[in-house]
């Protein structure tokens, strides 16, 4: 289907005038006119770019932002109305609900339905216009792009606008979810008695997806990891979970013994990419089908057919069965139904229930392939590192790197990527080609620039997610990628000519996902504050006691020294410790603050240990006061010390600049001392003062050199101690003050001696002249 027709069908009529004018932009390209008849000029290029960037894009972005702001105000107003209807804290749990309150809540629910419909339409509006802009600039580059390539510019502009970003809609949807839950529990659940247990408050802020594996339910969340942060993430996980080693004996020819196996997933779809469209449109019955194997296909690994269906409430159900490579083509064509495997299961004496379940799975997948006319369209190849405790499967983490997507389709019958008579690309598998697949047409390969981190936590009402998992998900090292799919991303990257909808996360591909630690900390604080506000309303209506909100402590991994100092100053202004807890509870500051484990300190805190103003000293005291949790050992190697040493130039130059300042003071004091000593003549007092100043100058220079070497060593060792020190400045200041006081005392006594006639006039004159010279210098 042409995109122009798709845009016309997807148009929401009340907003018809605010959609991009795709037909006008397409007409400006004069796509069907030959170049000889209508040459593309500078003026044509300027008109097209002005219309696309300054008129159409600005119109769409402004309408989207204005509509979103209006919806947000409506949601906030309803939330305030809901809070006014919440029972007072003194009301008894399970108290009878009044009809008046129920009527008001139903009125709020009606308004929520209207807002929810508008939010859905706005998301569709953002998505279809986002796709339209990318489509039209691709047409431009293909038809008129001999001298001008504007698609990269459009991608950057779309990424800066953020009108097709899931992260922008998440807070709004979370608040809507809270209000829906409260209203339906309070109005519809009227049959529950006062003594019956109330349902638990859901974590409505969670963006995870539930998956059913081996009869257990897991909540799965996905994140992107920048290559610069990959080592830190791996190290952080390895301190809590061991690497899951895949064994050849355990998997019966699946793998060789390897910590990080290579995995190949072969995804199925039809020529119209219906499975892809269902997943992008968030269809409640979206289904994906793939073949999956480890290592190279020439090693004859065990291949698995996997079908994953997303059901109600985002719950995913996975069905799979193993198959040999020589039977795959026959199974896809419908000529083989795993009869030999079924006979083998019967000979092995497996139960009738297991055999029936196997037949049901095989039949369901075979029917699904034939009904939808599916065939392999995309290959995803990646290296996986898995982390899990052998005897504890509550937390399962996988980290995929070297991710590559390869076209496997035969949509273009004139130039198919795969032999239509085979089920896989023999040019890749027969030659054991590996990442980055340079020996095939590069237009058929897309390399994903990030690593993919997936965290699966078993659903258990009695336990919450481990704290270290929460810290990792909230850290600056990962970028949240809710509902990210390798299948969807690969098709959108390589087959965008054949699809008319694109996933929302494509806009994030044009931005730097690395975050400042302080910014990530503040974003997590805001998210937790919003969740606490929703939990408070839910708890008020349900009569449950919701834990009070406490600001988060540190970001889970080492933050920069400057950001920690700023956070500490901000926390002290509101009466909190730098960790975010009350000053009396500095829990976790040692393990997360990034302080060096090396004992000792310098400065005023080493002289007055009871009165500590140093973050490093506070962290050391907290470590002595707070015992480590059970099962946690003090690390011998710190995360911040992992990897090669990278010193920021501004840090190094700051140390050099401070050293030069100290030497400058040294030269000034020495110059004054020499001048005073020279002008003293026979005056012994002036000579003594000059020598004293010279001594202070020498000590100042020595102190500056010593601190320069100490701070240089701290930078090399990546120490977490404070760089500031007050002993040197205080010592120099006190020495100068003492010298001036002594000079004044000596001159005072000399002046009175002269008045009493006991002094020598000449000596007094010389002394006065020396004193004048001293003041002059």
């Amino acid at each position: 289907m042409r995109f122009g027709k798709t845009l016309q069908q997807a148009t929401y009529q009340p907003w018809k005038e605010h959609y991009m004018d795709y037909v006008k932009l397409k007409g400006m390209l004069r796509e069907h006119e030959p170049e000889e008849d209508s040459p593309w000029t500078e003026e044509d290029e300027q008109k097209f770019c002005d219309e696309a960037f300054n008129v159409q894009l600005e119109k769409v972005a402004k309408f989207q932002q204005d509509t979103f702001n209006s919806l947000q105000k409506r949601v906030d107003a309803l939330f305030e109305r809901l809070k006014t209807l919440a029972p007072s804290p003194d009301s008894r749990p399970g108290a009878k609900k009044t009809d008046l309150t129920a009527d008001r809540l139903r009125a709020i629910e009606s308004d929520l339905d209207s807002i929810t419909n508008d939010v859905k339409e706005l998301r569709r509006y953002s998505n279809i216009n986002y796709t339209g802009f990318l489509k039209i600039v691709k047409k431009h580059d293909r038809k008129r792009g001999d001298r001008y390539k504007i698609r990269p510019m459009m991608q950057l502009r779309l990424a800066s606008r953020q009108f097709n970003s899931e992260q922008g809609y998440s807070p709004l949807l979370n608040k809507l979810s809270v209000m829906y839950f409260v209203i339906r529990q309070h109005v519809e659940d009227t049959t529950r008695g006062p003594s019956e247990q109330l349902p638990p408050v859901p974590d409505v802020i969670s963006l995870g997806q539930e998956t059913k594996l081996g009869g257990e339910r897991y909540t799965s969340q996905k994140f992107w990891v920048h290559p610069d942060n990959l080592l830190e993430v791996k190290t952080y996980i390895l301190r809590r979970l061991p690497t899951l080693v895949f064994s050849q004996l355990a998997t019966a020819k699946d793998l060789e013994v390897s910590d990080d196996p290579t995995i190949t997933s072969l995804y199925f779809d039809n020529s119209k990419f219906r499975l892809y469209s269902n997943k992008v449109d968030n269809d409640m019955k979206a289904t994906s089908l793939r073949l999956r194997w480890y290592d190279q296909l020439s090693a004859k690994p065990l291949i698995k057919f996997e079908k994953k269906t997303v059901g109600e409430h985002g719950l995913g159900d996975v069905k799979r069965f193993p198959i040999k490579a020589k039977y795959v083509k026959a199974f896809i064509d419908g000529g083989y139904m795993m009869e030999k495997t079924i006979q083998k299961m019967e000979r092995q004496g497996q139960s009738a229930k297991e055999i029936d379940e196997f037949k049901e799975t095989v039949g369901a997948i075979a029917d699904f392939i034939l009904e939808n006319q599916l065939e392999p369209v995309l290959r995803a190849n990646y290296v996986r590192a898995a982390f899990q405790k052998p005897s504890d499967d509550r937390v399962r983490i996988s980290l995929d790197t070297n991710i590559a997507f390869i076209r496997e389709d035969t949509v273009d019958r004139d130039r198919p990527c795969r032999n239509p008579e085979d089920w896989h690309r023999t040019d890749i598998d027969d030659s054991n080609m590996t990442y980055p697949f340079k020996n095939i047409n590069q237009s058929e390969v897309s390399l994903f620039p990030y690593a993919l981190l997936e965290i699966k936590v078993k659903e258990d009402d009695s336990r919450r997610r481990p704290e270290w998992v929460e810290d990792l998900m909230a850290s600056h090292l990962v970028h949240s990628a809710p509902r990210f799919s390798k299948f969807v991303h690969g098709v959108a990257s390589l087959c965008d000519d054949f699809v008319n909808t694109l996933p929302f996360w494509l806009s994030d591909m044009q931005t730097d996902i690395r975050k400042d630690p302080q910014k990530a900390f503040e974003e997590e604080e805001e998210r937790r504050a919003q969740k606490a506000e929703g939990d408070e309303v839910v708890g008020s209506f349900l009569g449950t006691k919701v834990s009070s909100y406490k600001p988060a402590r540190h970001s889970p991994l080492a933050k920069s020294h400057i950001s920690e100092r700023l956070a500490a100053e901000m926390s002290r202004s509101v009466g909190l410790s730098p960790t975010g807890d009350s000053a009396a509870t500095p829990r976790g500051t040692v393990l997360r603050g990034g302080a060096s484990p090396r004992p000792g300190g310098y400065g005023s805190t080493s002289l007055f240990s009871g009165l500590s103003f140093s973050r490093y000293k506070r962290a050391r005291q907290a470590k002595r006061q707070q015992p480590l949790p059970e099962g946690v050992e003090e690390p011998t190697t710190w995360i911040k010390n992992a990897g090669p040493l990278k010193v920021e130039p501004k840090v190094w130059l700051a140390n050099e600049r401070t050293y030069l300042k100290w030497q400058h003071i040294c030269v000034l004091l020495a110059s004054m001392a020499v001048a005073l000593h020279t002008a003293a003549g026979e005056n012994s007092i002036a000579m003594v003062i000059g020598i004293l100043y010279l001594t202070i100058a020498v000590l100042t220079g020595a102190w500056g050199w010593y601190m320069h070497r100490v701070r240089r060593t701290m930078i090399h060792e990546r120490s977490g101690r404070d760089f500031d020190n007050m002993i040197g400045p205080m010592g120099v200041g006190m020495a100068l003050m003492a010298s001036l006081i002594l000079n004044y005392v000596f001159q005072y006594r000399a002046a009175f001696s002269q008045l009493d006639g006991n002094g020598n006039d000449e000596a007094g004159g010389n002394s006065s002249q020396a004193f004048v010279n001293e003041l002059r210098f």
Side-chain angles (χ1 to χ4, degrees):
M1 184 184 295
R2 297 288 184 180
F3 180 77
K5 187 175 180 180
T6 302
L7 177 60
Q8 184 179 5
Q9 293 178 353
T11 300
Y12 183 50
Q13 291 304 317
W15 299 346
K16 182 179 179 180
E17 300 299 326
H18 302 285
Y19 283 78
M20 67 174 296
D21 196 339
Y22 185 81
V23 176
K24 180 179 180 180
L25 291 174
K26 187 177 179 181
M28 293 178 67
L29 288 176
R30 302 195 297 270
E31 188 177 12
H32 300 292
E33 298 180 12
E35 180 68 22
E36 296 79 10
D37 298 341
S38 57
W40 190 255
T41 63
E42 291 279 352
E43 184 179 358
D44 295 332
E45 180 70 20
Q46 185 176 359
K47 287 181 179 179
F48 179 84
C49 291
D50 182 68
E51 181 68 24
F53 288 90
N54 299 331
V55 179
Q56 300 296 331
L57 181 58
E58 291 298 326
K59 177 183 72 173
V60 171
K62 184 178 184 304
F63 177 77
Q64 191 276 339
Q65 188 63 44
D66 292 344
T67 307
F68 181 83
N69 292 339
S70 175
L71 290 173
Q72 196 167 31
K73 290 180 180 178
R74 292 169 61 188
V75 170
D76 292 341
L78 284 181
F79 194 76
E80 293 300 323
R81 284 175 55 189
L82 187 63
K83 289 171 64 176
T84 60
L85 298 178
S88 63
D90 299 333
S91 60
R92 292 178 291 103
K96 184 178 180 181
K97 310 173 182 64
T98 64
D99 294 337
L100 181 60
T101 302
D103 291 340
R104 291 178 178 177
L105 291 177
R106 290 191 183 96
I108 294 178
E109 184 179 14
S110 178
D111 293 338
L112 284 178
D113 293 337
S114 175
I115 294 176
T116 303
N117 292 332
D118 289 343
V119 171
K120 291 179 180 178
E121 292 298 338
L122 184 60
R123 294 182 68 174
R124 294 194 187 102
Y125 171 88
S126 302
N127 182 267
I128 196 67
N129 282 281
Y130 176 85
T131 305
F133 283 116
L134 292 182
K135 289 280 186 180
I136 198 65
V137 295
K138 185 174 183 179
K139 283 183 178 292
H140 169 277
D141 291 355
R142 185 168 51 218
K143 179 66 177 178
R144 306 297 183 183
D146 296 337
R147 290 174 294 172
Y148 312 101
K149 299 288 186 181
I150 65 174
R151 189 178 187 186
M153 186 186 304
M154 177 61 75
Q155 289 175 328
L156 290 175
R157 291 287 296 275
L158 290 172
S160 64
R161 289 295 182 178
Q162 294 291 325
F163 66 79
N164 191 41
S165 173
E166 182 74 9
Q167 300 297 331
Y169 288 96
S170 294
L172 191 64
L173 296 176
N174 290 334
K175 188 166 285 189
L176 288 172
S177 177
V178 168
M179 290 190 283
Y180 268 121
F181 177 79
V182 168
I183 293 173
R184 288 171 181 171
Q185 289 294 328
H186 194 76
V187 174
E188 298 177 3
D189 200 5
T190 57
T191 59
R192 185 191 304 113
S195 61
E196 296 183 32
Q197 185 179 4
L198 292 165
V201 179
D203 186 5
V204 296
I205 304 298
S206 175
L207 296 177
Q209 178 180 354
E210 292 186 2
T211 306
K212 193 173 182 180
L213 298 174
E216 300 287 348
R217 294 176 62 179
Y218 287 84
T219 299
S220 173
Q221 290 184 298
K222 297 179 181 180
F223 303 88
W224 293 348
V225 181
H226 194 279
D228 293 351
N229 298 329
L230 187 59
L231 180 61
E232 292 185 65
V233 172
K234 272 191 173 182
T235 308
Y236 182 80
I237 297 174
L238 284 171
R239 288 177 57 189
R240 278 86 179 175
L241 295 179
T243 302
L244 183 63
V245 179
F246 295 86
S247 172
Q248 185 177 12
L249 297 177
T251 56
K253 300 199 308 183
D254 258 3
L255 289 170
E256 295 180 358
V257 176
S258 173
D259 290 341
D260 297 333
T262 300
I263 301 178
T264 301
S265 295
L266 204 61
Y267 292 96
F268 285 68
D269 209 336
N270 51 34
S271 58
K272 296 183 179 180
F273 291 93
R274 290 179 179 173
L275 300 188
Y276 164 86
S277 300
N278 291 339
K279 289 186 72 68
V280 174
D281 295 338
N282 298 326
D283 194 323
M284 294 305 295
K285 297 296 182 181
T287 303
S288 60
L289 182 68
R290 69 180 178 184
L291 282 170
R292 188 183 187 194
W293 67 87
Y294 296 89
D295 205 10
Q296 296 293 339
L297 194 61
S298 59
K300 297 182 178 180
L302 188 63
I303 304 174
K304 290 185 178 180
F305 252 115
E306 295 183 350
K307 177 187 174 185
K308 184 176 181 180
T309 303
V310 179
E312 296 182 358
H313 308 295
L315 179 61
D317 184 28
V318 180
K319 293 183 179 181
R320 59 171 63 96
F321 69 89
I323 188 173
K324 293 183 178 179
K326 60 183 179 181
Y327 299 131
V328 172
K329 178 62 178 175
F331 181 81
I332 295 175
D333 294 338
Y336 177 70
M337 297 298 293
M338 305 298 295
E339 290 86 358
K340 293 185 178 181
T341 303
I342 295 174
Q343 294 174 4
K344 183 178 179 181
M345 294 174 66
E346 293 174 347
R347 289 196 303 268
Q348 291 177 348
Q350 296 191 24
S351 64
K353 181 180 179 181
E354 292 177 345
I355 297 176
D356 291 340
E357 289 178 353
F358 182 81
K359 289 181 180 179
E360 182 181 355
T361 300
V362 171
I365 294 179
D367 293 341
F368 184 70
I369 293 175
L370 294 178
E371 289 174 3
N372 295 278
Q373 300 179 352
L374 303 180
E375 62 179 13
V377 296
L378 178 75
R379 176 187 298 238
N381 186 273
Y382 47 93
V383 176
R384 168 160 293 183
F387 307 90
Q388 178 186 332
K389 292 182 180 179
S391 58
D392 187 357
D393 61 348
R394 287 179 298 172
V395 180
R396 303 168 64 176
I397 297 179
S398 63
L399 185 62
D400 298 338
T401 55
N402 294 347
I403 303 175
F405 302 102
I406 306 170
R407 287 186 62 176
E408 201 97 7
D409 62 273
T410 59
V411 177
D412 188 353
R413 297 297 178 180
D414 297 330
R415 299 181 60 184
C417 300
R418 165 183 53 84
N419 182 2
E421 303 300 325
D422 209 339
W423 63 273
H424 66 103
R425 292 186 62 157
T426 55
D427 57 336
I428 297 177
D429 295 324
D430 291 350
S431 60
N432 293 335
M433 199 180 301
T434 58
Y435 185 89
F437 302 95
K438 293 183 177 180
N439 296 333
I440 60 176
N441 189 344
Q442 290 302 293
S443 64
E444 300 173 357
V445 181
S446 175
L447 303 181
F448 191 64
Y450 309 122
L452 180 62
L453 176 70
E454 183 173 9
I455 302 176
K456 294 181 179 179
V457 181
K458 183 183 293 186
E459 286 292 316
D460 191 344
D461 294 338
S462 62
R463 297 188 182 95
R464 297 185 60 187
R465 276 193 296 252
E467 188 175 3
W468 67 270
V469 175
E470 296 276 1
D471 290 341
L472 177 60
M473 293 191 300
S475 74
H476 65 283
L477 299 177
V478 297
H479 176 79
S480 179
R483 296 190 289 111
F484 176 80
S485 167
K486 295 188 183 75
F487 167 54
V488 171
H489 185 84
V491 172
S493 301
L494 296 172
C495 306
D496 54 341
D497 287 336
F498 307 105
V499 297
N500 289 332
T501 53
L502 298 175
F504 62 86
W505 61 75
L506 281 186
S507 58
D508 292 338
M509 299 296 295
Q510 307 302 322
T511 59
D512 190 354
I513 65 172
R514 289 172 292 185
K515 304 176 185 177
D516 177 72
Q518 182 66 20
K519 183 178 179 181
F521 174 81
E522 293 171 355
E523 290 177 354
E524 175 63 11
E525 282 285 273
E526 183 179 358
R527 187 195 72 83
R528 295 181 70 231
Q530 291 177 352
K531 180 181 182 299
E533 185 181 12
D535 288 348
E536 182 180 357
V537 175
V538 173
S540 299
F541 274 95
L542 299 184
T544 57
K545 183 179 180 181
V546 182
S547 60
S548 59
Y549 165 67
K550 292 183 179 180
R553 292 178 287 275
H554 278 301
S555 187
L557 304 179
K559 298 196 297 180
S560 66
H561 173 73
I562 299 299
S563 64
E564 285 192 346
R565 290 288 298 275
L566 292 175
E569 293 174 3
M570 293 176 62
S571 300
R572 281 197 296 269
S573 66
V574 294
L576 298 176
S577 71
T579 60
D581 288 331
S582 62
T585 314
R587 176 171 166 238
T589 53
V590 177
L591 294 179
R592 304 178 192 178
S596 171
R598 190 177 63 183
Y602 65 95
S604 62
T605 56
S606 61
L607 298 178
F608 309 101
S609 59
L611 184 62
S612 174
F613 298 96
S614 168
R615 175 185 56 81
Y616 173 74
K617 190 68 177 180
R618 286 194 300 268
R620 297 295 302 172
Q621 291 176 351
K623 178 180 176 182
R624 290 193 294 267
Q625 296 172 4
Q626 181 68 32
L628 294 174
E630 183 179 356
V632 177
E633 298 180 356
E634 182 178 357
T636 57
T637 302
W638 293 77
I639 296 176
K640 65 183 182 61
N641 295 334
L645 177 64
K646 295 180 181 179
V647 181
E648 294 185 10
K650 62 180 181 181
V651 176
W652 189 268
L653 294 177
N655 188 33
E656 299 294 328
R657 190 163 54 248
T658 305
Y659 169 69
L660 293 177
K661 286 291 184 180
W662 276 104
Q663 300 310 309
H664 179 66
I665 295 174
C666 172
V667 171
L668 287 178
L669 290 176
S671 301
M672 185 176 66
V674 171
L676 182 61
H677 186 275
T678 303
E682 300 297 330
N683 190 337
S684 59
I685 296 177
M687 293 181 64
V688 171
I689 297 298
I691 294 174
L692 183 59
Y693 281 157
L694 184 62
T695 303
I696 296 175
V698 172
L699 292 177
T700 300
W703 175 263
W705 177 84
Y706 169 74
M707 289 307 303
H708 174 262
R709 302 301 299 179
V710 169
R711 289 171 177 145
R712 185 175 181 272
T713 303
M714 291 171 63
I715 293 174
H716 277 294
E717 295 179 351
R718 294 182 274 206
S719 174
R721 297 183 298 172
D722 289 337
F723 282 77
D724 56 287
N725 186 276
M726 62 180 68
I727 289 182
M730 290 180 62
V732 173
M734 293 175 65
L736 289 175
M737 185 179 297
S739 301
L740 290 174
I741 292 174
L742 288 175
N743 190 11
Y744 176 82
V745 170
F746 290 152
Q747 295 300 334
Y748 183 85
R749 294 179 60 184
F752 269 91
S753 297
Q754 184 178 7
L755 292 176
D756 293 339
N758 298 328
N760 188 290
D761 292 341
E762 183 179 357
N766 292 337
S767 176
S768 300
Q769 184 64 35
F771 182 72
V772 171
N773 292 335
E774 177 189 350
L775 294 179
R776 184 177 303 164
F777 283 103

